[in-house]
Amino acid sequence: MMAMGLPRLVATALTLALASVFLPLPISLAGEIRSIESVPDLQKLMYVAVDGYPCVRLLNLSGEIGCSNPGLSKVVAPIIKLKDVKDLVKPHTVLVTADEMEDFFTRVSNDLSFASKIGGVLVESGSSFLQKLKGLSPDNMFPQAEFSPYKNVEYKWNPMASSIMWKPYNFPVYLLSESGVSAVHELLSKKDMKHKTYTSDVAEFNMVMETTKAGTHNSEACLQEGTCLPLGGYSVWSSLPPINVSSSNSRKPILLTVASMDSASFFRDRSFGADSPISGLVALLGAVDALSRVEGFSNLKKQIVFLILTGETWGYLGSRRFLHELDLHSDAVAGLSDTPIETVLEIGSVGKGLSGGINTFFAHKTRVSSATNMTLDALRIAQDSFESKNIKILSADKTNPGIPPSSLMAFMKKNPQTSAVVLEDFDTKFVNKFYHSHLDDLSNINSSSVVAAASVVARTLFILASDSKDSSNSALGSIHVNASFVEELLACLLSCEPGLSCNLIKDYISPTNTCPGNYAGVIIGEPSSKPYLGSISDVSRFLWNFLAEKTSVQKGNTTSVCSKGSCSRTDKVCIKAESNKEGTCVVSTTRYVPAYSTRLKYADGAWTILPQNTSDSMRMVDPVWTESNWNTIGVQVYTVQHSAYDNAVLVAGITVTTLAYIGIVVAKSFITKALKQD
């Protein structure tokens, strides 16, 4: 037995020694050999999950846009930098920088042969490429031109447009976070430490869309099969002071002030929209905060109503649904539907108005009317009321075809006689070079510009509501916007640190996410004016609580506690019930309004598409946007061995085994002869 065991040990040792020449040791991304104590340790060593933001599949009645794995399984493809791409033989994962993004996707759309060799795309984030960029806007030259109230839809409001976000891509696309970029670069930088001939660095995409699996390639088909959900959410409106809904006597004309809360980009969860439209939203909230400290609003001649819309990027879902709810006299707009809206003031993009120490904004009007002229006059009076004289309000160029892309388009399509003004930081074309891009972030705007816009809006609303034309009015001069509040709110809504976990937000709600995506999202369950809080986005819930508090009045200076989120009196609402164990009941007229396509109906737990109505021009062009369902989305990178290397190891193993067997036979014969001689 001992004679037989020795040769076998020798053979085994030889096999392991030879195998160790071919098989590389497990090396970490840091270049050090790690100790493996468990299966999870081995998985972490081999597979690196990368953080980032996906491009997902969106659908409308005509087809689909966005990105998805082409089949029903994960996509695995070798990583190659775009600058190294020459003649690809098989599909690869292409690593693209931000300044290469527009040209790359344009080529993919125009060159089907090239597109067939794209297995997936990783897009690098970060500021290192911004200096090379003149601009990046994946939207159209005239965003949502189909809803334009005028005929010149070829006008180029967005000169940086590439339209790449409105096209379908049958491969996964993933925007890498800063940590994701580091992980990928670290993996690629270790090539010299590996056997170049026998290994590849690959990306594995788990981005399978339910609509792809089910073969439902438009909104009507996917809604029928339940593989998608409608885009939308919940808009919020609030009145200052509160409206007595139970009485219709002596209702005041309404001054409607509008802003939007949602944006879009090529990547679902990276749609900050700093200048367009969040700067306008923050300016409105800054104005609300300033006006909340003014006494005597109940004695003014007009009723101020604040309306913050969602879904505007996707066919003006919020504004069209709001106008439809007014027609229906629904509970969501109780107190508004029977009262005339005298004028509308929309706050658009106002984050880039600062230039040469002067904050300049342009007033775009819908039409010539007495109400519009009053708004323009009020803006100029507000401008003159500031001692610093660093704010300038100019009328937009008369050669413009009409108002720029904005919620006012829905109001104008509904009623061409609407008197309205939209305040913007541009005149004839967008100054935001990153319109609807993932690069329209906090660094793209100036907080002092937002503060200036908020100051103008606050004083303009007071002038309109009081019907005062005196710029030296002491009450007017007492209205000041809290710059610190505006700056804090910008950090909350436009960054991940602190993001929605900032103290300002947490004082009103318990956020479910830290990073604010500002993408509209999907509407879940049956739409309602009193929805389940779990189906409302963090930002919508914050806005509802904030507006309810700032526009509230205390009758008799008494407050009551609401432990279960409801108040005994119908004119009261419960605020801050999420952030505190016990909320507070305040007198306020603040409501949620569902935002979803007017061509959709929810019944018996499912969505159906209503037939077209030729009398409604907006419903005729309504695309009915939906988002594909998906289970999990993720990307990981790792190193794999080529099949040629595996075959070489197999041959080497067989060779070693054969030689070992021969050695054993020879050794056995030799030992046997030696024993016989003894």
Side-chain angles (χ1 to χ4, degrees), residues 18-126:
L18 185 57
S20 67
V21 174
F22 290 93
L23 291 171
L25 290 169
I27 299 176
S28 72
L29 288 179
E32 299 174 353
I33 301 174
R34 295 179 182 175
S35 61
I36 302 174
E37 299 178 355
S38 63
V39 173
D41 287 343
L42 180 61
Q43 290 177 328
K44 289 179 181 179
L45 182 66
M46 296 177 64
Y47 305 102
V48 180
V50 293
D51 293 329
Y53 314 91
C55 164
V56 300
R57 178 70 79 214
L58 300 176
L59 307 95
N60 57 30
L61 293 177
S62 302
E64 53 192 5
I65 67 170
C67 319
S68 172
N69 281 20
L72 309 183
S73 59
K74 298 176 182 178
V75 170
V76 180
I79 303 172
I80 185 172
K81 294 181 179 180
L82 180 59
K83 64 181 181 180
D84 297 328
V85 171
K86 293 180 181 178
D87 296 322
L88 298 178
V89 178
K90 61 179 182 179
H92 277 67
T93 296
V94 182
L95 184 62
V96 178
T97 57
D99 58 305
E100 299 169 332
M101 185 175 168
E102 182 179 324
D103 290 341
F104 171 78
F105 283 103
T106 300
R107 181 182 175 186
V108 165
S109 298
N110 297 332
D111 187 344
L112 296 180
S113 175
F114 177 68
S116 67
K117 299 298 188 293
I118 307 300
V121 179
L122 297 174
V123 180
E124 294 189 47
S125 60

Side-chain angles (χ1 to χ4, degrees), residues 24-25 42 78 113 146 163 167 174 222 232 267 305 335 354 377 392-393 407 411 444 455 480 483 544 626 643 646 666:
L25 290 169
L42 180 61
S113 175
E146 62 270 28
S163 303
K167 298 175 182 179
Y174 199 69
C222 71
F267 304 99
V305 173
L354 181 64
D377 289 341
K392 186 181 294 185
I393 306 296
S407 300
F411 284 84
N444 193 40
S455 301
H480 297 286
W544 186 93
T626 57
S643 59
D646 292 335
V666 172

Side-chain angles (χ1 to χ4, degrees), residues 97-103 129-139 158-162 164 352 430-440 444:
T97 57
D99 58 305
E100 299 169 332
M101 185 175 168
E102 182 179 324
D103 290 341
F129 307 103
L130 293 182
Q131 294 179 349
K132 302 178 184 178
L133 275 172
K134 294 181 180 179
L136 176 64
S137 174
D139 210 331
N158 183 21
M160 291 295 170
S162 64
I164 59 174
K352 300 180 76 66
F430 295 171
V431 295
N432 180 9
K433 297 180 179 180
F434 300 122
Y435 181 82
H436 284 174
S437 162
H438 65 280
L439 298 173
D440 187 12
N444 193 40

Side-chain angles (χ1 to χ4, degrees), residues 517-566:
N518 297 335
Y519 166 70
V522 295
I523 190 160
I524 301 173
E526 183 174 9
S528 170
S529 60
K530 296 181 179 180
Y532 167 63
L533 292 181
S535 63
I536 310 173
S537 71
D538 289 337
V539 174
S540 289
R541 297 198 323 277
F542 162 70
L543 293 173
W544 186 93
N545 280 271
F546 176 84
L547 290 175
E549 181 189 52
K550 295 298 181 180
T551 62
S552 66
V553 297
Q554 299 296 339
K555 293 186 176 180
N557 293 322
T558 59
T559 59
S560 56
V561 172
C562 46
S563 58
K564 295 184 179 180
S566 61

Side-chain angles (χ1 to χ4, degrees), residues 10-308:
V10 172
T12 303
L14 286 171
T15 303
L16 290 173
L18 185 57
S20 67
V21 174
F22 290 93
L23 291 171
L25 290 169
I27 299 176
S28 72
L29 288 179
E32 299 174 353
I33 301 174
R34 295 179 182 175
S35 61
I36 302 174
E37 299 178 355
S38 63
V39 173
D41 287 343
L42 180 61
Q43 290 177 328
K44 289 179 181 179
L45 182 66
M46 296 177 64
Y47 305 102
V48 180
V50 293
D51 293 329
Y53 314 91
C55 164
V56 300
R57 178 70 79 214
L58 300 176
L59 307 95
N60 57 30
L61 293 177
S62 302
E64 53 192 5
I65 67 170
C67 319
S68 172
N69 281 20
L72 309 183
S73 59
K74 298 176 182 178
V75 170
V76 180
I79 303 172
I80 185 172
K81 294 181 179 180
L82 180 59
K83 64 181 181 180
D84 297 328
V85 171
K86 293 180 181 178
D87 296 322
L88 298 178
V89 178
K90 61 179 182 179
H92 277 67
T93 296
V94 182
L95 184 62
V96 178
T97 57
D99 58 305
E100 299 169 332
M101 185 175 168
E102 182 179 324
D103 290 341
F104 171 78
F105 283 103
T106 300
R107 181 182 175 186
V108 165
S109 298
N110 297 332
D111 187 344
L112 296 180
S113 175
F114 177 68
S116 67
K117 299 298 188 293
I118 307 300
V121 179
L122 297 174
V123 180
E124 294 189 47
S125 60
S127 58
S128 58
F129 307 103
L130 293 182
Q131 294 179 349
K132 302 178 184 178
L133 275 172
K134 294 181 180 179
L136 176 64
S137 174
D139 210 331
N140 295 324
M141 290 282 190
F142 192 144
Q144 305 196 84
E146 62 270 28
F147 291 96
S148 170
Y150 47 85
K151 295 181 179 179
N152 186 2
V153 295
E154 301 300 321
Y155 189 80
K156 297 179 180 179
W157 286 107
N158 183 21
M160 291 295 170
S162 64
S163 303
I164 59 174
M165 68 181 282
W166 300 109
K167 298 175 182 179
Y169 303 98
N170 293 317
F171 49 78
V173 182
Y174 199 69
L175 174 67
L176 297 169
S177 66
E178 290 187 10
S179 64
V181 171
S182 298
V184 172
H185 277 278
E186 199 168 0
L187 182 72
L188 296 177
S189 69
K190 300 302 177 182
K191 269 194 173 294
D192 291 339
M193 298 178 61
K194 304 168 187 172
H195 295 261
K196 294 182 180 180
T197 309
Y198 301 120
T199 63
S200 292
D201 298 320
V202 302
E204 178 185 281
F205 297 87
N206 184 11
M207 295 170 62
V208 179
M209 299 288 136
E210 291 295 322
T211 52
T212 302
K213 292 170 65 175
T216 50
H217 299 298
N218 60 59
S219 288
E220 185 171 15
C222 71
L223 288 172
Q224 287 177 350
E225 295 297 322
T227 58
C228 65
L229 286 171
L231 295 192
Y234 284 90
S235 303
V236 180
W237 71 270
S238 185
S239 65
L240 180 68
I243 298 173
N244 186 353
V245 179
S246 61
S247 174
S248 60
N249 296 330
S250 64
R251 289 276 176 87
K252 300 175 183 178
I254 291 175
L255 303 174
L256 186 62
T257 311
V258 180
S260 299
M261 70 172 85
D262 75 292
S263 186
S265 81
F266 197 95
F267 304 99
R268 183 187 190 275
D269 300 316
R270 199 68 173 181
S271 304
F272 283 133
D275 187 42
S276 309
I278 301 302
S279 63
L281 166 63
V282 174
L284 183 145
L285 297 180
V288 172
D289 179 63
L291 292 173
S292 69
R293 297 188 290 273
V294 177
E295 299 291 338
F297 260 98
S298 59
N299 300 323
L300 299 183
K301 298 179 180 180
K302 295 170 186 176
Q303 179 76 51
I304 298 176
V305 173
F306 303 104
L307 172 63
I308 303 177

Side-chain angles (χ1 to χ4, degrees), residues 320-330 333 336-338 414 598 616 618:
R320 291 197 296 116
R321 174 55 62 174
F322 173 77
L323 293 169
H324 185 63
E325 296 293 321
L326 286 177
D327 289 342
L328 297 176
H329 298 268
S330 71
V333 291
L336 294 181
S337 54
D338 296 323
K414 179 71 175 178
T598 54
D616 187 342
M618 285 191 288

